[in-house]
Amino acid sequence: MDRHLFPTRSLRGSLRVPGDKSVTHRGLMLGALAQGESWLYHPLKAGDTLSTAGVMRALGAEIHEEGAHFRIRGVGLALKEPGDILDCGNAGTLIRLVSGLLAGQEMFTVLTGDASLRRRPMGRVTAPLRQMGARIDGRDGGRLAPLAIRGGGLKGIRYELPVASAQVKSAVLLAGLFAEGETEVTEPAPTRDHTERIFRHYGLPIEVQGNRIRTHRAQPFAARDLTVPGDFSSAAFFLVAALITPDSEVTLEGVGLNPTRTGLLTVLKEMGADLSWEVTEGQDGEPVGWIRARSSQLKGVAVDPSLIPLMVDEIPILSAAAAWAEGETFIPGLEELRVKESDRLEAIAKNLNNLGVKTEVGPDWIRIFGGSVQQGRVEPFHDHRIAMAFAVCGLQTGVTVHDAEWASISFPSFWEDLDRLRGKD
Ligand code: S3P
């Protein structure tokens, strides 16, 4: 479905963004593994996390939608062998994390997903899980889904992550809950630490020492309610929208402000953004607060590559901000963008080009020459974040977004929320 956005003069108001996608995936998985009943409050109910609910149900958990929440009855560590293959849809976090869980279970499962997911690299999880003792097969020697897993009999390993990936870290830690002895993961750079925090919330074994994270075999653990913070990655679209639109002020409330997620705030500040935020509470182990953005004249910067893992999902929207900034923005360290829901480096460059913005692209970097956005057409390449980021980029000039429904993978109310801020209720 095409969505036409007429030029926007101003964005005003306050908003609560939907629940965090990463925390919802983990909340559903751990609630499903726990013993007894718990509530997952304010989860994200969107394409990706509904895939997780479906998979955890097929593995024996009861998951009921109750208004805005989920009520979960967990299986007490022993998942049930499903009668059919498990469809992970578009969700990379689901297929990778659940591979870790299934590696620990004495049963046979097959995981698959949509065309995008079946193109994404799985060797990064199948390699350490095989080292732990799981038998895993798949296309291209286990590097691509569908993956067939026969789990059980795991031994703990010490594993140095070859890429900075929270999904791989989490898959190994989840498998570690079922493994004999200790499992240790070393990260090359800090990545989002929601798994470590949720383990603590449930009283599961977890020890963090610098870049080393350890766990060991878990005993059945009691169900516990969990409240999901608003998703910083969803908030990011409206923050940047307010910064680049004249006469704008937008406040986002109840947003997760976990420092392993907020690298974008550092970069936008450096670009001259009028941004303020405050952590107002700690909610089940995650810092939560508000963020306010006002119209700003941004300037181009060279982004510090060590910040990329702390903003890996925000590169598309940062590129939109760079398109409106004065001068050049250089973003290095982007090799992982090639293997997201789309080849995001390519998708960013093509959409900027459609909107009249000049770029140069290397294997793992992009240079964006700001200041010349024109009216145009956005092509999401089946990628939710590309659809939303470049809709924002074209807000002032007017833009047509092709296949706009892709936003619902992580943010089903995106278009309505945007209309509210534009005063088009
Ligand atoms: C996620 C980790 C990141 C991120 C994804 C969610 C997670 O992926 O891009 O949207 O919840 O662990 P990588 O681990 O592949 O960087």
Side-chain angles (χ1 to χ4, degrees), residues 21-22 25-26 93 96-97 120 124 164-168 170 192 194 312-313 336 340-341 344 385:
K21 179 157 81 69
S22 293
H25 282 303
R26 288 159 172 81
T93 307
R96 295 195 178 114
L97 269 60
R120 297 180 65 184
R124 52 182 60 195
S165 163
Q167 292 179 354
V168 181
S170 303
R192 65 188 68 195
H194 302 301
V312 66
D313 291 339
E336 279 295 300
K340 292 292 178 190
E341 286 84 329
R344 282 193 178 152
R385 299 201 197 280

Side-chain angles (χ1 to χ4, degrees), residues 17 20 229-233 254-258 261-262 286-289 291:
V17 287
D20 187 277
D231 199 324
F232 179 85
S233 298
V255 186
L257 288 168
N258 179 323
R261 293 286 298 280
T262 54
E286 292 281 349
V288 175
I291 317 176

